[in-house]
Every structure is written in structure tokens, then in C-alpha cells.
Amino acid sequence: MTSTHSLWQFIRREPVLSISFVCALVSAFFVPPSAAYVDYIDLRVLCLLFCLMAVVAGLQECGLFLVLAQRLLAGERPVRLISLTLILLPFFCSMLVTNDVALITFVPFAILVLEMVGRRDLLIPIISLQTVAANLGSMATPVGNPQNLFLYAHFSLSMGDFLSLLLPLTLISLVGLAAAGLYFGGKGWISVSFPEQVRLTSPKHLALYLVLFGLCLLSVCRVLPYGILTVLVIVSLLLARRQLLGQVDYMLLLTFVCFFIFSGNLGQMPAVRAGLGSLLSRSPLLCSAAASQIISNVPASVLLSGLTEDWKGLLAGVDVGGLGTPVASLASLISMKFYLRSREAKPLPYFLWFTAANVVGLLVLLPVAARLVH
């Protein structure tokens, strides 16, 4: 009974990993395990993800992002400006530290600020727009989210190819988010003062993490071999702050391994490959965006990457497809969880606001993406 309860708790805590494991397991009945399974796994992507997660955990621990946020918000300012700042912080930060880290950092911060100044009425629109902002801002760089990093490596893209596709979408997203933030940001002026000023906890460690983060970017751009980067990160953190190695999301890495096996096995099944290939041949953009609504954009990118060479349609589809349902981008569940844990949370109004913001964003960006990929 205890083991069953523990298993159920694990499934609830790691639903995507659980699903990916079942998918990999079922696919193994159709394509028996062999040495070919090793070839399915993209070690470069796993190593880069590991290094980025470890280094970003260090930057977060030093208080870098909260210090930035406090300095931007402290003082007497228009409510609209405070709201806009809270929305755009995850937009820009997600470009470097991923959408989930941006939301983990700035959604609780937004709840703290808005409750402190007595503007709980703005919580639902601000958190909903923060979620959209993190998912859209993260598409601007290869390191902004896991699917970008994976597809950037899988198709051996150049930075020029990547930016030419996604930079226009990012700029349009920025304009739309700024307009929404100003419109829904509230009226009047408020004074923001923090009872406790966040300070950088360890400048020496911060300098190390910034250097390591720079090395991560060099490795993403294929200047530094990923094997050398991985060794440098592990050795540096073992010497300086080994606890950070325990803060890496190993469940996400394992999820990738399971989906690598699942997608690799699907590629060995002629009927499945033909069916998915037919859908992708009609519109990789719409197919990947639709798949993201059901299985989320990271698994969709891994699953479909082996079935099409149209990297533009696939990349734009899974990034824009992060808007929509709460599971389209798993980062969206992070902000939803923080809001529902807040005082006097209203689940239905939040879900309606979240859905409306995502649907509007999806309807605006899909036609733009369609023009860019053709």
C-alpha cells in the first residue's frame, strides 16, 4: 500500500517523466532494445542542459535576479509601470535563464510586491501575462528553453538562421506584451519599499558562475566542445559549491532520455513514421503547435524532429505552440501553482484569464510564423 501511494505521488509530481517512461516502455515492445538505443540519445543536448541548469542555479542562489528586480521597482512609480516591469522581467530574463527559472523567480516576487502595495486585484492579469512573457521571451535564444536547445543542436543551426526566424516573433511578442501590460496594469501611483533589501550573497561565486555561463554560450555556439564544458562545470562546482549539482533537474534530463528512446523507436515503425510524416508534410508549423497543446512543446520537438527536415516550421511551431493549454509549455504550470497557493486565490478567474491571454497570443503569432517559415 505504501509503495503504491509513493508511486502515485511520484506520478503526480513528475507527470511528464511518467508519461515519457511509459511511452518508451511501450515502444520497446515493438522495437526490442538493442545497441541502436544508444544512438537515439543526444548526449550533447543532455550535457548542455545539465551545465546550464547547474550554472543558472548558482546565479539564482547569489540573488542576482532579485537584486535586479528590487532596483527596478523600488520608489514611487505609476502602477502601470510597476505592472509592465513585472511582466517584462521574465520576458527578458527567460532569454538567458530559461522560462521555468524566470517564472520560479519572478512570479513569487510579483505576488509579494502586489500584496505589499495592496493591489491583489492585479495578481491574475499580471501572473497570466508573466507566464506568456516567459514562454515568448525564451524563444529568442537557443538557451531560452529546452526545445530550442535541442532543435538548435539537432539541426546544426547557425545563430543567423535561428535569429532570422525567431527574432521577428520575439519583437512582435514584446510589443503585444507591452501594450497588454499598459492596458491592464492599473491606474494611479504607488510607493514600493522592500522591508529587506536583497544583496548579492557571494560576489566571488557570482563571478565564477558568470564565467561558466559564458562558456555555456560558447559551447551552444559550438566554439567550445561540450565535453570540455561539462568537465569544467562539474569540477568548478565541486570545488566552489557542490550543493548546486544537487539542484539540477535530473528528472528533466531523464525525461529527455525517455523521449529520445520513444521517438527513436517510432522512427523504426514504418506505419507510424508514415502517418506522422504525412501530417508534417502538410504543415510542420501547425502539426507541431497542435502536438504541443497535448504533450507539451519539449516532447513534441523531440518526437517530431526525426520525421521532418523542415526545422523552421518545427521550431516556430513548438515555440509559438507553448501558448494555449496549461500543458503546452510545462513552465505555465509553475506560475499556476504559485498563484493557487497564494492567499485568496481564485482558480476559475485565473484559468479564464490565462486561457484568454494564451489564445490571443496564439492567434496573433501563428499567422506571422506561417509567413516566416515559407
Side-chain angles (χ1 to χ4, degrees), residues 142-205:
V143 298
N145 53 53
Q147 73 268 14
N148 275 9
L149 184 61
F150 168 69
L151 293 175
Y152 186 86
H154 180 80
F155 289 105
S156 300
L157 302 180
S158 69
M159 190 61 71
D161 290 336
F162 184 92
L163 293 178
S164 65
L165 174 65
L166 293 177
L167 194 55
L169 288 170
T170 306
L171 293 175
I172 292 171
S173 301
L174 176 59
V175 172
L177 285 164
L182 291 173
Y183 185 80
F184 295 106
K187 300 178 181 179
W189 287 66
I190 52 176
S191 179
V192 180
S193 60
F194 297 94
E196 183 179 345
Q197 294 295 317
V198 178
R199 300 184 184 278
L200 295 177
T201 56
S202 178
K204 289 183 179 180
H205 283 164

Side-chain angles (χ1 to χ4, degrees), residues 14-25:
E14 299 290 344
V16 179
L17 172 58
S18 303
I19 292 170
S20 67
F21 176 77
V22 171
C23 289
L25 186 63

Side-chain angles (χ1 to χ4, degrees), residues 155 276-292 300 304 307-319 366 373-374:
F155 289 105
L276 287 174
S278 176
L279 292 174
L280 283 166
S281 65
R282 298 176 187 176
S283 176
L285 173 70
L286 294 179
C287 183
S288 54
S292 298
L304 301 177
L307 304 173
T308 181
E309 292 301 315
D310 186 351
W311 65 266
K312 286 187 176 182
L314 181 55
L315 180 58
V318 293
D319 275 348
L366 268 180
V373 301
H374 290 112

Side-chain angles (χ1 to χ4, degrees), residues 307-367:
L307 304 173
T308 181
E309 292 301 315
D310 186 351
W311 65 266
K312 286 187 176 182
L314 181 55
L315 180 58
V318 293
D319 275 348
V320 174
L323 301 179
T325 65
V327 299
S329 170
L330 294 180
S332 300
L333 299 178
I334 293 171
S335 52
M336 183 177 294
K337 181 165 59 177
F338 278 126
Y339 172 73
L340 294 178
R341 287 178 178 175
S342 69
R343 184 169 53 88
E344 300 175 11
K346 300 174 182 177
L348 182 58
Y350 177 85
F351 180 75
L352 293 175
W353 229 105
F354 171 88
T355 302
N358 276 264
V359 168
V360 169
L362 198 57
L363 292 176
V364 169
L365 291 178
L366 268 180

